[in-house]
Amino acid sequence: MASTPTNELGAGLIALTWGVLAYLMFLMLAVQVAMDFYTASVVGAIGHDAVRQAAFAGGSPNARAEAERWLRTRIGSSVNIETVSWDTTDGVVSLNLAVRPPTVLIGTPGLATSRRFEHRFDVRNETPQFARPR
């Protein structure tokens, strides 16, 4: 059986290019998932601390405003805070927080707009009552 010579010069370069491109896409996806997990963790911790701070200060509008200032400075500018709403009913201070995490995905406005984290935090406003010594 006679083999016919074929010109396969550059075939390895094309395969290498596609392989590197696929590797970089998976790496970018992994970085995005890690950033989403980190954002969810940070927003959860800071939101809980902020609502605790407002509840322990009595749940007044001034306490909630101070806690919201604290929350915004702690979260920083990389996370886009969309809505922050407070509610105080029946001795429970509630915080509804909606954020958009940062993205590494370039040129995907449809995907970036659908990613939104919403959290609700509730803390009972309890004031300690100390017994008087007799």
Side-chain angles (χ1 to χ4, degrees), residues 13-101:
L13 184 61
I14 293 172
L16 176 69
T17 303
W18 282 107
V20 168
L21 182 64
Y23 173 75
L24 290 176
M25 287 176 61
F26 281 120
L27 183 64
M28 194 165 61
L29 178 67
V31 168
Q32 185 63 55
V33 168
M35 285 175 60
D36 288 350
F37 283 146
Y38 176 75
T39 301
S41 174
V42 166
V43 168
I46 292 174
H48 180 71
D49 288 346
V51 76
R52 256 187 56 219
Q53 181 181 18
F56 289 163
S60 67
N62 289 338
R64 293 185 307 215
E66 181 63 32
E68 186 171 337
R69 275 193 295 277
W70 182 87
L71 176 131
R72 289 182 183 275
T73 58
R74 293 289 188 251
I75 286 183
S77 61
S78 64
V79 177
N80 183 19
I81 301 173
E82 287 192 340
T83 58
V84 177
S85 63
W86 295 87
D87 186 28
T88 305
T89 55
D90 297 331
V92 176
V93 178
S94 299
L95 168 65
N96 292 318
L97 182 62
V99 299
R100 290 204 187 275

Side-chain angles (χ1 to χ4, degrees), residues 3 9 19 53 62 106:
S3 65
L9 289 174
Q53 181 181 18
N62 289 338
I106 299 169

Side-chain angles (χ1 to χ4, degrees), residues 106-122:
I106 299 169
T108 55
L111 182 62
T113 56
S114 66
R115 295 173 50 246
R116 180 178 173 176
F117 296 155
E118 295 182 12
H119 296 278
R120 178 179 171 92
F121 307 95
D122 298 318

